[in-house]
Amino acid sequence: MTRTAYKYNDIIHRCFRCGYCKFPTNWDDVNNCPAYARFRLESYSAGGRLWLIRAWVNGELEWTEHLAKIVYACAACKNCVEKCPLSFSDEIVNMVIAAKNEMVELGLLPAPVKSFLKNIQLHGNPYGISAKKRSQWMEGTRVETYSNQEFLYYVGCEGSYDTRAQQAARALGELLLKAGVSFGVLGKKEITDGNEVGMMGEDGLLEWVVEKNIKQFKELGVKKIITLSPHSYNAFKSIYPKFDGKFEVFHYTQILSDLMKKRKLSDLKEIQKKVTFHDPCFLGRWNKDYDSPRNVLKSLKGITLVEMERNKKGALCCGGGGGNFYTDILGGSEDSPARIRAREAADTGAEILAVACPNCLTMLEDAVKAERLDDKLIVQDISEILAI
Amino acid sequence: MDAVYQALVKIVGEDYASNRPEELFTYSKDLGTSEPKFPDYVAAPKTAEEVQKIILLANKKKVPVVPLGGGMSLAGLALPLQGGIALDLKRMDQIIELNEKARYVVVEAGISNGKLTAYLHKHYPHLMHSEPGAPPAATIGGNIAIHGQGDMAHPYGFNSDMVNGMEVVLPTGEICKFGSCSIGSGWYTLHPLPDIGLFLGWNGSTGIITKISLRLFPCKKIREMDLFVVEDEGLIPDLLYELTHVGMAEDLIAFTSAIPPFMDGVHHISMNITGDTEEEMEFKRHLLLDGKLARYIQDGTGGIGAVSQDIQRPQISKSADWKKGGGFEYVGSIMPVTAYPECYRRGAEISTRHNIPYTVLGRVIGSAHAMMFSWSYAFNRADPETVRHAREALHETDSLVLELGGTIWKPAVFGQKLMMDRMDSNTLQMMKKVKNLLDPNGIMNPGNWEVNE
Ligand SMILES: Cc1cc2nc3c(=O)[nH]c(=O)nc-3n(C[C@H](O)[C@H](O)[C@H](O)COP(=O)(O)OP(=O)(O)OC[C@H]3O[C@@H](n4cnc5c(N)ncnc54)[C@H](O)[C@@H]3O)c2cc1C
């Protein structure tokens, strides 16, 4: 059956499958598309995926669980967008999301994607943990709930529920307090930002989430938001304005970078360590901010910042985007992008792999352990490094 | 469960073997106008030993095996014409050895040109290999399997002339080495042992190349492209003769195209020159521009198009989107340089007949011993009529190549047949004997270079 409603019927055929999209900016290797890196079959490359989507929407191929797996294996990292030389390149990830829209409409989804979305609907988070437990991360901290402070500190699902990411959420809270920033959190009232819901093609649920958040933010008088996760940053910055939700949005590294410039975070400990930084896709390629996290790290005394071969717009994604941190389609192999990235980080000789995203934090920490590199390399969120 | 599939899973692991419709669909198509040809299986081995096991399995089960590199050759050469196993070699992508002083690198055949270039750039910036103008995902193995040419075609010849040694899995499963590496003496030369290499230019129909030693060349610090333009295509052969006499350029390409309109009928000669110092550059520029081109400028027949341009990695995939249609295919030919004017004129006629803006290009090989002349035809993948036109134009061009005294390069099956129809019958029979001897079960990329009588 043809899918006439598919939004990109007029351009999807324009991919030549030349394979530029597999490379990073420095042409280092063909494995800079996380899904292709993991499976190394053409079907999982950005071009292969577009050709398969086209075949499906044209009725040449039937939907199968495997087709859906290929489509949902896209981590929405935008490496393809960066590298494709053709004029429609900006739309590549959108073409994949639009295919997910169609699958959602038909109710044809891989099981973990279904449960991700169901959990969001039921609990406001993908983990399926009760909304009541959302504020547990802040127990024992001096972080307050939001009531007209200057900033809303939006923690996000990982920071709220994932035990590892909670540490980063707490560290950031402490730092902001230390710097005297006026902020509060939503605690139990917080729900998902919807970024991954959108990336997974569930537009109806996205709308529901976004409207609910906007209503709450507006009722509370929120004007400025600091996010722990670049995914939330992207949602509030790029998706919410389309629903009339206009806020001043900052990723926390932008706030910290500014605070350090103004010397409001000056009594930080000196750390004599070699550090490498992993760019999160939703801060980097999606929002073109490669400097803020680096500025923070560079202004820390004692730190030597070394770059991985693939960095900034050429960085290899950890493989957690597009909901993959939960669905784990790209996991389970030494070719999982997070494990490749862990090896790259270790190759720099760094002792700390710094991240600025709770998704990357959990993905890369697991990868470092799987690679048995944890005796020489630790993964830390920038907030944690500063809070030491 | 399918026994061949299960055996493949056992050899390469579950992630890298498939008989699912999605992979079969993906590997049934290439980038050009070829009709889809479905494999029955897809496998992506990591080592020569895995390739060997797959070949032994294929012999046992009488299943064809079709090697695939980047899949960029466009002419359907890696499509499984008779089904079987599509063997994606891109996981075999390691750099095994680089001998700086002897200027060679040993790589696994599935490595991309992009990766090798990046590696050299980073670790040996004073060395380079001859990279084809193809998308960088094209593999070294695929390129030499079709006698490709690239940056160093002028003055060193085909990329397959730059091979110092090879490891090949024969169609019967033996792993063989060719060149000095076969006697344990390193990978520095293919000669002077008796010539038993029967794998270059065979489109993978006589074996699977798994390792290659490639010659590297000095990569100078400064690189630039200079452009010379003339309106009279009749001048191109003489110009190329003159320019190759001084031997200063690394790459010489004559080209023109209907789009953009200012290029229409204007023949550009791009000259890539390199040097370690400004002095060296100036010397080369002087020999080429003042020594050989000044007189064309003086008599008003030619002019400098540009000097000292950066040499960019070619972004040729853009030609695929001229018709906003994601497709193009070209006929490549190996031609005497003297044929340039006729190649251009007749090619433009074919293009006009099929309502495709013409794009033609002649890359000099050796000291103008020949050129690779190509005619590109863009099409809209979503419009079967334009695909049909491009296909017909390609076929007409194949015939034109032979009419003009050329040889079709990386011919599709259609072009292979045209050439074999004209081939000296003893040569043809020799090809047949070679193929039968090496591949008694006819499993290797069947349909390619297949002698039927
Ligand atoms: C825009 C564009 C520009 C191009 N410009 C050039 C150019 O300047 N110079 C040039 O030479 N080519 C050019 N090409 C053609 C082609 O892309 C290259 O020759 C490329 O290097 C082929 O390599 P591949 O890995 O893509 O081969 P594939 O297409 O995968 O394979 C080519 C053939 O070799 C066989 N094969 C592949 N790997 C092996 C192996 N390891 N052992 C045995 N057989 C094997 C396949 O079965 C097939 O028959 C161009 C193509 C495009 C699309």
Side-chain angles (χ1 to χ4, degrees):
Chain A
M1 207 180 66
T2 55
R3 306 288 308 160
T4 46
Y6 179 69
K7 275 182 257 174
Y8 293 95
N9 270 324
D10 56 333
I11 57 167
I12 184 121
H13 62 279
R14 285 171 64 187
C15 165
F16 183 52
R17 243 171 86 183
C18 64
Y20 279 73
C21 53
K22 294 174 180 171
F23 287 92
T25 33
N26 67 358
W27 304 99
D28 226 14
D29 207 345
V30 289
N31 63 354
N32 222 45
C33 163
Y36 182 69
R38 166 67 180 85
F39 293 103
R40 292 301 285 267
L41 295 176
E42 284 300 315
S43 38
Y44 283 91
S45 69
R49 190 176 296 110
L50 293 185
W51 282 39
L52 282 170
I53 290 171
R54 178 171 176 240
W56 177 57
V57 296
N58 280 348
E60 271 181 81
L61 274 180
E62 295 289 317
W63 183 93
T64 64
E65 183 92 21
H66 185 59
L67 177 72
K69 180 182 164 192
I70 290 170
V71 171
Y72 277 91
C74 169
C77 76
K78 275 201 172 178
N79 183 67
C80 48
V81 173
E82 201 60 59
K83 286 303 292 185
C84 172
L86 300 179
S87 58
F88 60 83
S89 58
D90 280 348
E91 302 292 354
I92 299 176
V93 172
N94 294 339
M95 285 193 246
V96 177
I97 295 173
K100 295 177 183 175
N101 291 153
E102 297 292 311
M103 290 189 183
V104 166
E105 196 139 295
L106 295 168
L108 297 171
L109 298 174
V113 174
K114 238 184 223 171
S115 71
F116 184 110
L117 297 170
K118 227 185 233 172
N119 285 336
I120 297 277
Q121 168 104 61
L122 289 174
H123 307 287
N125 70 75
Y127 305 103
I129 306 173
S130 153
K132 284 188 195 135
K133 297 192 173 156
R134 195 160 182 124
S135 59
Q136 273 180 357
W137 70 273
M138 57 194 276
E139 280 168 16
T141 68
R142 292 173 296 130
V143 172
E144 292 172 356
T145 45
Y146 185 84
S147 60
N148 283 324
Q149 290 97 327
E150 186 183 359
F151 292 97
L152 165 69
Y153 167 23
Y154 179 87
V155 182
C157 298
E158 305 85 44
S160 301
Y161 290 104
D162 183 282
T163 47
R164 180 66 188 88
Q166 282 176 344
Q167 294 169 15
R170 278 194 288 272
L172 180 59
E174 296 296 348
L175 271 177
L176 295 174
L177 286 170
K178 190 169 175 177
V181 177
S182 153
F183 75 95
V185 297
L186 294 175
K188 284 181 198 147
K189 284 199 205 140
E190 193 185 273
I191 60 162
T192 185
D193 51 66
N195 195 62
E196 304 321 286
V197 174
M199 296 298 143
M200 289 169 130
E202 205 346 333
D203 282 355
L205 187 57
L206 172 68
E207 204 174 314
W208 178 76
V209 166
V210 173
E211 282 174 354
K212 200 165 167 189
N213 271 326
I214 292 176
K215 187 163 176 274
Q216 177 167 227
F217 294 173
K218 284 188 175 166
E219 278 169 8
L220 291 170
V222 171
K223 301 238 158 25
K224 297 182 187 177
I225 307 175
I226 299 174
T227 72
L228 175 68
S229 170
H231 296 245
S232 320
Y233 173 70
N234 183 67
F236 298 145
K237 204 162 177 277
S238 310
I239 303 175
Y240 283 48
K242 292 180 201 150
F243 293 82
D244 205 23
K246 298 199 174 79
F247 309 97
E248 248 187 282
V249 191
F250 303 89
H251 182 249
Y252 81 85
T253 53
Q254 296 165 342
I255 295 286
L256 294 187
S257 165
D258 191 49
L259 287 172
M260 292 176 91
K261 217 185 309 165
K262 293 182 181 147
R263 301 188 184 283
K264 290 198 178 156
L265 263 174
S266 46
D267 58 337
L268 297 170
K269 273 202 194 119
E270 189 171 321
I271 311 161
Q272 291 293 343
K273 291 256 158 76
K274 206 169 172 187
V275 177
T276 190
F277 176 64
H278 165 80
D279 289 274
C281 304
F282 280 97
L283 188 61
R285 278 186 289 257
W286 278 79
N287 288 293
K288 310 278 175 250
D289 186 353
Y290 304 104
D291 293 337
S292 299
R294 286 180 174 76
N295 289 343
V296 175
L297 289 170
K298 278 186 211 153
S299 26
L300 276 176
K301 276 197 209 111
I303 278 190
T304 314
L305 185 62
V306 285
E307 292 288 356
M308 285 183 266
E309 292 287 350
R310 304 188 250 191
N311 56 60
K312 300 185 183 169
K313 59 185 178 182
L316 170 66
C317 163
C318 73
N324 274 288
F325 70 95
Y326 175 88
T327 56
D328 201 28
I329 295 172
L330 304 179
S333 154
E334 62 181 32
D335 289 330
S336 296
R339 287 180 63 177
I340 299 176
R341 198 62 171 154
R343 294 195 291 271
E344 271 177 18
D347 284 346
T348 64
E351 299 151 275
I352 299 179
L353 167 53
V355 297
C357 168
N359 263 350
C360 302
L361 178 65
T362 53
M363 295 291 294
L364 292 171
E365 186 162 287
D366 290 348
V368 164
K369 283 186 196 142
E371 288 289 315
R372 296 179 200 281
L373 291 165
D374 41 339
D375 56 339
K376 44 183 171 228
L377 182 67
I378 57 166
V379 185
Q380 283 191 313
D381 194 83
I382 287 183
S383 60
E384 298 176 295
I385 299 175
L386 264 68
I388 289 172
Chain B
M1 256 290 207
D2 185 318
V4 174
Y5 172 68
Q6 282 198 320
L8 288 173
V9 167
K10 223 167 163 188
I11 297 168
V12 295
E14 202 169 359
D15 285 340
Y16 304 113
S18 176
N19 59 358
R20 293 175 294 250
E22 292 74 17
E23 275 75 39
L24 303 187
F25 172 88
T26 303
Y27 287 82
S28 75
K29 300 199 177 220
D30 80 357
L31 286 49
T33 59
S34 301
E35 297 285 358
K37 300 284 173 199
F38 280 77
D40 301 299
Y41 313 93
V42 174
K46 180 77 186 142
T47 62
E49 288 66 31
E50 287 181 6
V51 172
Q52 179 181 45
K53 284 183 191 157
I54 292 170
I55 295 288
L56 292 172
L57 169 76
N59 273 291
K60 199 162 129 199
K61 301 283 182 186
K62 307 277 185 296
V63 178
V65 178
V66 180
L68 173 84
M72 300 289 156
S73 49
L74 297 176
L77 305 182
L79 290 183
L81 302 177
Q82 296 171 22
I85 305 167
L87 202 67
D88 187 331
L89 297 165
K90 289 189 287 296
R91 288 180 69 224
M92 300 178 61
D93 61 356
Q94 296 303 301
I95 295 166
I96 298 163
E97 180 198 342
L98 189 139
N99 189 321
E100 189 178 2
K101 294 286 148 51
R103 291 204 178 97
Y104 70 82
V105 64
V106 184
V107 295
E108 289 185 315
I111 189 174
S112 67
N113 276 280
K115 177 172 175 174
L116 180 56
T117 300
Y119 176 84
L120 293 172
H121 186 69
K122 205 180 307 162
H123 302 287
Y124 300 91
H126 47 285
L127 292 175
M128 63 183 282
H129 78 293
S130 177
E131 180 168 348
T139 65
I140 302 287
N143 189 247
I144 64 158
I146 59 169
H147 283 311
Q149 355 66 40
D151 284 337
M152 312 291 300
H154 167 66
Y156 299 108
F158 290 85
N159 289 348
S160 42
D161 296 330
M162 302 174 198
V163 171
N164 272 345
M166 273 189 299
E167 177 193 84
V168 178
V169 180
L170 300 184
T172 38
E174 301 87 342
I175 302 181
C176 268
K177 287 200 173 90
F178 300 93
S180 49
C181 62
S182 68
I183 55 165
S185 293
W187 288 78
Y188 61 91
T189 181
L190 196 58
H191 307 318
L193 292 160
D195 176 17
I196 45 169
L198 295 163
F199 310 98
L200 304 175
W202 278 88
N203 301 357
S205 63
T206 53
I208 295 177
I209 305 162
T210 45
K211 287 192 188 87
I212 299 156
S213 171
L214 260 195
R215 284 184 199 165
L216 300 173
F217 297 90
C219 182
K220 309 261 180 145
K221 287 186 196 130
I222 313 168
R223 313 183 75 189
E224 71 173 40
M225 186 193 64
D226 300 324
L227 265 184
F228 193 70
V229 288
V230 294
E231 225 173 342
D232 178 2
E233 66 270 17
L235 295 174
I236 296 288
D238 275 348
L239 271 161
L240 295 178
Y241 183 76
E242 295 288 338
L243 292 171
T244 46
H245 178 85
V246 290
M248 289 295 117
E250 275 173 11
D251 204 14
L252 277 175
I253 298 179
F255 60 94
T256 180
S257 58
I259 292 173
F262 69 81
M263 277 187 67
D264 189 8
V266 180
H267 300 268
H268 294 59
I269 298 182
S270 76
M271 300 164 278
N272 288 354
I273 60 171
T274 69
D276 281 326
T277 60
E278 211 19 78
E279 247 180 317
E280 189 181 347
M281 295 297 282
E282 198 43 53
F283 175 72
K284 289 185 172 175
R285 257 182 240 128
H286 173 66
L287 286 188
L288 288 167
L289 304 180
D290 304 334
K292 292 296 174 189
L293 301 175
R295 74 181 162 86
Y296 294 91
I297 301 172
Q298 271 151 21
D299 68 17
T301 50
I304 304 282
V307 187
S308 305
Q309 301 291 299
D310 277 349
I311 300 178
Q312 304 285 350
R313 181 183 286 281
Q315 294 260 319
I316 308 182
S317 319
K318 282 185 179 160
S319 32
D321 209 35
W322 273 338
K323 287 205 160 191
K324 301 245 177 294
F328 95 102
E329 186 173 334
Y330 66 94
V331 168
S333 66
I334 305 304
M335 278 277 173
V337 174
T338 46
Y340 182 95
E342 199 66 355
C343 287
Y344 153 65
R345 285 193 289 265
R346 301 281 299 276
E349 277 167 29
I350 294 176
S351 288
T352 309
R353 240 189 342 270
H354 291 283
N355 193 24
I356 303 170
Y358 74 85
T359 307
V360 294
L361 171 158
R363 156 180 266 146
V364 173
I365 299 175
S367 297
H369 294 107
M371 63 177 171
M372 191 290 290
F373 193 95
S374 69
W375 298 260
S376 297
Y377 301 108
F379 58 86
N380 182 342
R381 212 173 284 287
D383 178 354
E385 198 49 19
T386 65
V387 180
R388 183 180 65 78
H389 270 295
R391 197 178 291 133
E392 283 176 14
L394 290 160
H395 287 182
E396 287 169 32
T397 309
D398 275 352
S399 303
L400 175 69
V401 171
L402 298 177
E403 189 191 325
L404 297 180
T407 310
I408 309 167
W409 169 52
K410 67 174 181 69
V413 171
F414 178 85
Q416 290 173 24
K417 188 163 178 320
L418 285 184
M419 290 205 284
M420 287 193 289
D421 284 348
R422 296 182 165 216
M423 198 178 271
D424 168 75
S425 66
N426 287 338
T427 312
L428 200 62
Q429 287 313 310
M430 157 91 182
M431 269 176 75
K432 190 173 181 171
K433 281 183 205 159
V434 165
K435 175 75 180 150
N436 289 345
L437 179 75
L438 287 173
D439 184 15
N441 288 321
I443 58 155
M444 286 304 309
N445 204 357
N448 269 275
W449 290 122
E450 205 161 89
V451 184
N452 287 320
E453 72 256 27

